[in-house]
């Protein structure tokens, strides 16, 4: 089975010459010398490459919204802020093969004719910062970055920006505000960043995994990309599993593997003494799936049909010895803390949700709290808030109320957490 | 007052961006890099050089989790308090840290050695639970590992 994204991941990662020796930077050569920018976009669009950051929007489609005839600078940004709890896939790509990301960024920037590019990297990824800084310098020295790349008319600058910690920075418009030196609050859309983004200029923000894939699509084409997948969503995907499984980890697998394969085969099943109860299929902001969903294919359509989202494809397993109320409280604490406070439902609603859950977990919950929590799940849901943070926060909550209702009721009835002394 | 080194580094960042204000976060990082935290005076100095109001700079500084607006210890402990770490034993780790250090989240030990902070997801969920001390990441932890880890930092 082919694993284009991860086959050359090593620690320490390949240097530029080693990366070139395994075919690295061929996609840059091909794109800037032999392809029109619009042809690169068309190729990615035709491949049905869907963004790997969580939302799953068509990458080629996103690029095609960039107005190509406007004079002045355009920007490309790699979203390497990975702060979604339970998600650790991009760290692997950033630390293990930084040149692959940089190559993907150059090709993508060429497609939209960006003149400057940024890697927006979170503070905690210290080793990734070291590797990326080094790889960018090597790419400049080799003529893949800077003025007149490979002797062509195309020029691109690349900068590494390290963040200062805030989950909101992962939201693309908030990320742009942060890059502009401001608070990372989201912007109203439209205008979309593709038209008016960084410093008011056309800007594309793509996830690290998405960008890392671009050189492979350019090198091998649409049919190859689609052949890697088991479903209509092309390519492979980096999946991960954490929690009380025997072998937590991340694996590059065909898009559309089942949850059962991931948990039982790759993650080695549940640890001795622990039973599977549920899973967040794609990070903290996705709805729980449970035992009955074991054979769901983990692609965008399959997980949505089961009532959740593929999200980042990195799963967090809930076992039978972890309190579901405590689990959800932990998630809502995170979202409440990380809310930017910009819109009222999120600013007020998330702390309220968190306090209700804490009270229930502490045995101080009241019967009416469950209806209150359910109403929050609606009031903070899609369409009622400025951005997707609060709706994302409500996904695990609403599904926990559905699948683990008896646990909530037990807490309230017996005035204590049944999982702790 | 900003030192010459701080000033030069901030001026360098200003030259990288189309408007001065856009260097705000970088300027705060520079000041913090030199002094470990950003005081009211630091806010005013950054505001002066970027031609912003101190309130504007402070609004940026207080937004981000890792810009420190009060003094911190010589070493920062970031304990990952996210969901995978929660499942894998965060509680025990937290209790042990609190006991060993004698401080709660957000506090600094009286000798100025450590500041303990919760941190949303360190992105190493397959090796949970985890924490960072300064630039060093520690993974697959149990409460028993903590004493030896802390001993490395004076």
């Amino acid at each position: 089975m082919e694993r284009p994204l991860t086959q050359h991941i090593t620690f320490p990662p390949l240097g530029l010459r080693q990366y070139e020796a395994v075919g690295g930077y061929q996609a840059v050569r091909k794109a800037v010398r032999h392809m029109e920018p619009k042809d690169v976009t068309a190729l990615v669009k035709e491949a049905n490459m869907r963004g790997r950051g969580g939302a799953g929007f068509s990458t080629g489609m996103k690029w095609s919204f960039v107005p190509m005839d406007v004079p002045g600078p355009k920007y490309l940004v790699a979203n390497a802020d990975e702060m979604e709890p339970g998600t650790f896939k991009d760290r692997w790509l950033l630390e293990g093969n930084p040149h692959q990301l940089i190559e993907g960024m150059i090709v993508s920037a060429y497609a939209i004719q960006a003149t400057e590019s940024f890697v927006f990297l979170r503070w905690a990824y210290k080793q990734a910062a070291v590797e990326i800084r080094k790889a960018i310098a090597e790419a400049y020295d080799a003529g893949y970055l800077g003025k007149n790349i490979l002797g062509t008319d195309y020029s691109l600058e690349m900068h590494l920006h390290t963040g200062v910690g805030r989950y909101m920075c992962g939201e693309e418009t908030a990320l742009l505000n942060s890059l502009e030196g401001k608070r990372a609050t989201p912007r109203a859309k439209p205008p979309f960043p593709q038209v008016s983004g960084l410093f008011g200029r056309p800007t594309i923000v793509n996830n690290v995994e998405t960008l890392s894939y671009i050189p492979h699509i350019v090198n091998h084409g649409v049919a190859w990309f689609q052949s890697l997948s088991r479903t209509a969503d092309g390519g492979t995907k980096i999946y991960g599993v954490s929690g009380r499984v025997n072998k937590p980890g991340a694996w590059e697998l065909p898009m559309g593997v089942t949850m059962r394969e991931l948990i039982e085969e790759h993650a080695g099943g549940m640890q001795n003494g622990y039973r599977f109860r549920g899973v967040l299929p794609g990070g903290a902001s996705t709805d729980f799936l449970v035992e009955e969903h074991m054979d769901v294919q983990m692609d965008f359509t399959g997980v949505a049909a089961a009532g959740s989202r593929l999200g980042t494809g990195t799963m967090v397993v809930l076992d039978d010895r972890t309190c579901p109320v405590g689990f959800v409280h932990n998630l809502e604490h995170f979202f409440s803390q990380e809310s930017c406070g910009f819109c009222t439902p999120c600013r007020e609603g998330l702390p309220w949700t968190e306090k209700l859950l804490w009270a229930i977990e502490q045995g101080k919950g009241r019967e009416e709290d469950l209806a209150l929590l359910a109403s929050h799940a609606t009031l903070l849901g899609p369409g009622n808030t400025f951005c997707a943070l609060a709706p994302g926060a409500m996904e695990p909550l609403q599904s926990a109320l559905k699948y683990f209702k008896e646990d909530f009721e037990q807490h309230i009835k017996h005035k204590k957490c049944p999982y702790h002394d | 007052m900003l030192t010459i080194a701080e000033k030069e580094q901030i001026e360098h960042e200003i030259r990288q961006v189309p408007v001065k204000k856009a260097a705000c976060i970088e300027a705060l990082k520079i000041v913090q890099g030199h002094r470990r935290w950003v005081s009211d005076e630091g806010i005013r100095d950054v505001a002066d050089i970027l031609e912003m109001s101190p309130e504007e700079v402070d609004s940026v500084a207080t937004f981000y989790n890792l810009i420190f607006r009060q003094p911190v210890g010589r070493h920062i402990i970031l304990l990952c308090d996210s969901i995978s770490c929660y499942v894998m034993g965060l509680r025990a780790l937290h209790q042990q840290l609190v006991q060993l250090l004698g401080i709660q989240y957000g506090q600094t030990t009286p000798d100025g050695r450590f500041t303990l902070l919760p941190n949303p997801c360190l992105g190493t969920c397959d090796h949970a639970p985890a924490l960072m001390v300064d630039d060093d990441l520690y993974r697959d932890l149990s409460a028993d590992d903590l004493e030896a880890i802390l001993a490395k930092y004076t």
Side-chain angles (χ1 to χ4, degrees), chain A residues 86 88 91 122-123 125-126 161-162 164-166 178 180-184 242-244 326-327 330 334 338, chain B residues 18 22 24-26 29 59 63-66 81-84 86-88 91 120-123 125-126 132 135:
Chain A
F88 52 100
R91 181 193 273 270
R122 62 173 304 192
W123 171 302
Y125 284 7
K126 301 285 185 186
H161 171 89
T162 49
V164 267
R166 200 69 198 239
S178 192
E180 289 183 7
K182 301 172 186 162
R183 293 166 77 101
S242 65
R244 293 284 177 190
F327 189 103
N330 174 279
F334 165 79
E338 292 300 314
Chain B
C24 185
I25 292 172
E26 292 303 323
K29 278 157 70 176
S59 81
F63 185 85
Y64 293 98
N65 300 335
L66 295 165
D81 67 348
S82 289
I83 193 62
S84 305
Y86 174 83
V87 170
M88 299 301 287
R91 258 162 75 116
C121 202
L122 287 169
C125 321
D126 51 340
M132 274 181 91
D135 289 355

Side-chain angles (χ1 to χ4, degrees), chain A residues 125-342:
Chain A
Y125 284 7
K126 301 285 185 186
Q127 190 55 35
V130 170
E131 303 300 352
I132 288 167
R133 196 168 282 122
K134 189 173 155 204
I136 289 176
E138 285 183 337
Y140 267 107
D141 286 346
Y144 295 122
L145 281 170
K147 294 254 174 282
N148 302 109
I149 292 170
L150 300 173
T152 66
D153 291 340
Y154 183 60
S155 302
L156 177 70
E157 301 298 326
M158 190 174 287
H159 316 273
L160 172 65
H161 171 89
T162 49
V164 267
R166 200 69 198 239
Y167 176 61
M168 271 312 297
C169 294
E171 199 274 345
E172 67 176 357
T173 60
L175 180 152
L176 297 175
N177 274 337
S178 192
L179 261 185
E180 289 183 7
K182 301 172 186 162
R183 293 166 77 101
T185 49
R187 297 177 181 177
K189 293 188 274 193
F192 286 87
Q194 295 93 313
V195 177
S196 177
L198 189 61
F199 300 114
R201 302 295 311 166
T203 305
I204 286 291
V205 182
N206 284 140
N207 175 255
V208 167
E209 188 181 348
T210 312
L211 289 164
S212 297
Y213 228 119
I214 301 302
H216 304 291
I217 296 174
V218 167
N219 283 333
H220 303 294
V222 172
W224 168 86
F225 181 72
Q226 287 172 347
S227 76
L228 298 175
S229 164
R230 291 190 197 165
T231 71
D233 298 332
T236 52
K237 169 86 191 80
I238 299 184
Y239 295 97
V241 181
S242 65
R244 293 284 177 190
V245 290
N246 282 311
K247 293 184 291 180
W251 314 273
E252 184 183 6
L253 296 164
M255 181 69 89
V257 295
T258 65
M259 211 164 87
R260 188 183 301 282
E261 282 173 87
L262 281 164
I263 292 174
E264 293 180 1
E265 201 177 306
H266 298 285
M270 297 301 290
Q271 283 180 13
N272 205 6
Y274 292 88
R275 204 166 51 80
F276 174 90
R277 283 206 74 196
V279 66
L280 301 175
S285 60
T286 56
D287 287 83
F288 279 99
L289 295 180
V290 291
E291 190 82 39
E292 67 188 75
H293 301 114
M294 274 291 177
D295 294 308
V296 163
Q297 282 195 296
M298 295 282 289
D299 74 346
F300 296 99
T301 318
V303 182
S308 187
R309 288 189 307 117
L310 178 66
T312 60
T314 36
M315 309 171 26
V316 186
V317 173
L318 169 70
D319 58 80
D320 65 331
R321 288 164 64 179
T322 299
C323 174
V325 177
F327 189 103
V328 178
H329 173 261
N330 174 279
L331 296 171
E332 299 310 328
H333 170 74
F334 165 79
F335 287 113
S336 168
Q337 175 187 294
E338 292 300 314
S339 167
C340 74
F342 190 56

Side-chain angles (χ1 to χ4, degrees), chain B residues 33-103:
Chain B
H34 284 272
R35 308 168 188 209
R36 296 211 302 261
W37 69 293
V38 185
S39 65
D40 290 348
E41 188 200 358
I43 293 284
R44 282 195 296 273
D45 291 342
V46 168
D48 277 348
I49 199 167
L50 297 180
E51 296 171 14
M52 295 167 75
S53 71
E55 292 75 16
E56 213 178 341
V57 174
D58 195 31
S59 81
V60 174
T62 52
F63 185 85
Y64 293 98
N65 300 335
L66 295 165
I67 295 292
F68 306 133
R69 285 288 279 116
Q70 50 182 301
V72 291
R74 293 193 294 284
H75 305 287
I76 307 283
I77 302 173
L78 298 176
L79 178 61
C80 182
D81 67 348
S82 289
I83 193 62
S84 305
C85 289
Y86 174 83
V87 170
M88 299 301 287
L90 166 68
R91 258 162 75 116
L93 219 55
H94 179 227
Q95 279 169 3
Q96 179 72 357
L97 265 179
V98 166
Q99 201 184 338
L100 287 171
L101 299 170
I103 53 169

Side-chain angles (χ1 to χ4, degrees), chain B residues 6 10-11 19 41 59 61 68 71 73 77 88 93 95 102 107 122 124 128 136 141 145 152:
Chain B
E6 286 170 323
I10 294 172
E11 296 284 2
V19 284
E41 188 200 358
S59 81
F68 306 133
I77 302 173
M88 299 301 287
L93 219 55
Q95 279 169 3
Q107 296 179 338
L122 287 169
T124 186
D136 307 325
L141 289 171
D145 301 327
K152 293 184 191 173

Side-chain angles (χ1 to χ4, degrees), chain B residues 102-123:
Chain B
I103 53 169
Q104 303 292 330
Y105 278 144
Q107 296 179 338
T108 300
T109 52
D111 59 0
R113 193 167 151 219
F114 292 110
T115 297
L116 176 64
L117 298 171
N119 189 76
C121 202
L122 287 169

